[in-house]
Amino acid sequence: MVWSVPRTDDNLSWHYERADGSWGVGDNIVFWYGVEDWKQISDMVAGKFSVKETSTSTSASAPAGVRAYSTMARRNAVRSAIPSSRRSYSTASSGSPLRVGLIGARGFTGRELIKLIDGHPRFELSHVSSRELAGKPVPNYTKAQLNHVNLSASEVGELAKAGRQAVDVWILALPNNVAAPFVTAIDGAVASLPMKQQPVVVDLSADYRFDTSGEWVYGLPELHRRELTTRNTGRIANPGCYATGSQLGIAPLLPYLDPARLPSVFGVSGYSGAGTKPSPKNDPAFLQDNLIPYAPVNHIHEREIGHSLTRIAQASYPFNARNPLKVQFSPHVAPFFQGIALTLHVPLRLSMSAANVHELFKDFYRGERLVHVTESAPLVRDNAGQHYAAVGGFAVPPHSEGGASASLADRRAVLNVTLDNLLKGAATQAIQNMNIALGIDEYTGIPTPDAPTMSLE
């Protein structure tokens, strides 16, 4: 049995309780019961909600007066709402809680994860590990009385031997270059278990974002949803905060980039992005009336942006696997606590009007509930504490309507992206990935307003 219900239905919980699994498709949720043939589910979903895609190929020598791009071009190699093969995990028995082990709870992202899990209808915390907080109560968690523990990698491995009987998801919210012993311990403990009994692992560090072994999936759902829903790995590398916003700002323009010039990203983050270890970059007194530039070249997110966008680029795009994309990224820390503002300059191989670029982005992100496309520039204070990214403020140089014959200076687009570095840039995205991996609706437990807050209208 397969049936669909609008996301706005007041009785969604009734359907979740009675279904064996669910799938979010646009404004609807598809449920099934008693169907074990995944191809049958895929075919029935695809037949009910077909996604029509048009070519994004373009010619730099389009005749005068004819647009060399389409504002209705969909993400051929980037996004599909319909799974093409078996999903990694299916929904757990209807209504049963899904247990989450959190390693690294002391940081700002760990705190946000605890709040989100507390409000999630299916997730509950089983273990909350922090060396510095061991023995102290877990704050902002109301589902049970929990104290922090201090789990070593070997202890996590022992717990993982029971597979999903003990923990359904392990979240590693650790600094860079620290996660490997925990991953090794979990992998060794579950190697003999069937895939459906192995826990999902979500790593929030940069350690596995460049993985080439095929064991890890890059978890930016708006751009990698097909891979997340069809790769049978159970290992998800959560993207970086700057990298998330930058990719959302560049991805729709991938077919139109100038192969001879590189996109440039000017980034400003709140000081929560500098972590909890004391430094000038997270000292409010030092930051007052100040802006601190850092890592002007080779920032880890600079490499991540180019690497991950290259992975989703089609062979016909100016940048692709044979000609990998690189970006120029300039990060800064500001006196505010949380939030990111990005200004992107994107060189194009033909000129577009600001209205054309705006329409291109609206179509690209149509149906995405955690990306809002706005006409005016989004602001950090509007987005802080929100779970979505906002993309807007589209601009082009004056007189840039000359197509491929326009000057180099005219052939570029400028836009702004804001997101909360702790939420869509980290914790919210982890919940989104966990939902997908466990076969429940992608947006479960995540507030998704219909429209963003905008100060500049």
Side-chain angles (χ1 to χ4, degrees):
M1 177 186 298
V2 178
W3 71 98
S4 66
V5 179
R7 291 183 188 272
T8 54
D9 191 285
D10 292 333
N11 298 309
L12 281 181
S13 59
W14 185 92
H15 296 277
Y16 278 118
E17 289 172 0
R18 287 156 177 79
D20 287 337
S22 62
W23 186 269
V25 183
D27 294 329
N28 297 274
I29 299 172
V30 178
F31 296 93
W32 59 86
Y33 176 80
V35 182
E36 297 182 358
D37 184 345
W38 283 93
K39 186 178 186 304
Q40 181 184 355
I41 294 172
S42 177
D43 290 345
M44 294 180 76
V45 173
K48 191 170 184 61
F49 299 101
S50 60
V51 179
K52 190 174 284 187
E53 297 182 345
T54 57
S55 173
T56 54
S57 60
T58 180
S59 169
S61 58
V66 177
R67 292 193 307 190
Y69 57 90
S70 169
T71 57
M72 292 299 291
R74 300 300 291 173
R75 287 161 278 183
N76 293 337
V78 178
R79 176 188 180 227
S80 174
I82 308 299
S84 61
S85 62
R86 178 171 176 154
R87 297 180 63 180
S88 300
Y89 291 84
S90 62
T91 309
S93 57
S94 59
S96 62
L98 298 165
R99 296 165 296 275
V100 179
L102 173 59
I103 310 298
R106 177 175 177 267
F108 296 126
T109 297
R111 298 175 196 177
E112 295 296 340
L113 280 164
I114 291 170
K115 295 178 189 176
L116 281 164
I117 291 168
D118 188 56
H120 197 286
R122 296 292 305 277
F123 295 154
E124 65 177 25
L125 287 167
S126 59
H127 306 81
V128 182
S129 180
S130 168
R131 184 177 65 252
E132 294 86 351
L133 300 176
K136 297 181 180 179
V138 175
N140 302 312
Y141 190 68
T142 63
K143 293 181 177 180
Q145 294 293 322
L146 286 180
N147 288 339
H148 290 88
V149 293
N150 180 21
L151 294 176
S152 66
S154 61
E155 290 170 325
V156 169
E158 284 299 312
L159 288 166
K161 287 181 179 179
R164 291 183 58 181
Q165 294 299 318
V167 177
D168 293 282
V169 187
W170 288 101
I171 305 176
L172 306 180
L174 299 165
N176 293 341
N177 304 313
V178 177
F182 293 90
V183 173
T184 299
I186 294 170
D187 285 348
V190 305
S192 61
L193 295 177
M195 178 58 69
K196 65 180 181 180
Q197 295 181 19
Q198 295 185 17
V200 174
V201 179
V202 179
D203 178 42
L204 274 72
S205 77
D207 293 5
Y208 297 96
R209 294 174 192 162
F210 299 88
D211 175 73
T212 57
S213 70
E215 296 178 2
W216 289 79
V217 180
Y218 188 70
L220 208 175
E222 288 76 15
L223 304 182
H224 294 262
R225 188 172 285 111
R226 178 184 290 276
E227 194 175 12
L228 283 164
T229 54
T230 60
R231 289 272 301 280
N232 194 16
T233 69
R235 302 292 180 265
I236 301 173
N238 221 57
C241 51
Y242 278 128
T244 293
S246 299
Q247 290 179 77
L248 293 175
I250 296 173
L253 295 169
L254 281 175
Y256 316 113
L257 296 182
D258 184 338
R261 298 179 293 162
L262 303 181
S264 175
V265 182
F266 183 93
V268 180
S269 173
Y271 62 85
S272 60
T276 56
K277 184 178 180 180
S279 76
K281 291 189 290 185
N282 57 19
D283 180 352
F286 188 83
L287 283 165
Q288 185 175 358
D289 302 320
N290 208 355
L291 189 69
I292 304 177
Y294 69 101
V297 295
N298 205 37
H299 188 287
I300 186 70
H301 290 185
E302 180 177 81
R303 288 177 275 140
E304 181 182 347
I305 297 163
H307 174 80
S308 299
L309 286 174
T310 297
R311 288 178 57 192
I312 64 171
Q314 296 183 38
S316 60
Y317 289 177
F319 293 98
N320 50 47
R322 291 184 298 177
N323 182 33
L325 174 66
K326 295 183 179 180
V327 301
Q328 301 170 112
F329 176 55
S330 305
H332 302 73
V333 180
F336 53 85
F337 177 69
Q338 68 190 95
I340 283 177
L342 303 169
T343 299
L344 295 84
H345 289 254
V346 185
L348 305 174
R349 56 193 175 113
L350 72 166
S351 65
M352 299 183 186
S353 69
N356 291 149
V357 177
H358 185 200
E359 286 300 316
L360 184 69
F361 273 75
K362 284 198 300 182
D363 185 69
F364 191 91
Y365 290 117
R366 196 178 309 279
E368 297 291 351
R369 297 172 67 182
L370 293 181
V371 179
H372 288 290
V373 178
T374 65
E375 186 170 0
S376 55
L379 300 181
V380 168
R381 72 178 184 185
D382 294 333
N383 222 24
Q386 302 294 328
H387 298 272
Y388 57 81
V391 186
F394 304 100
V396 300
H399 312 300
S400 60
E401 299 288 339
S405 64
S407 69
L408 282 178
D410 285 344
R411 297 206 305 267
R412 62 188 173 98
V414 183
L415 58 130
N416 304 104
V417 179
T418 60
L419 71 160
D420 190 309
N421 56 300
L422 302 178
L423 296 177
K424 179 56 178 166
T428 301
Q429 194 139 257
I431 297 295
Q432 201 177 355
N433 285 321
M434 290 158 58
N435 286 339
I436 293 172
L438 291 166
I440 58 181
D441 182 75
E442 179 177 334
Y443 303 108
T444 300
I446 303 173
T448 54
D450 292 333
T453 301
M454 295 296 296
S455 294
L456 295 177
E457 288 289 358

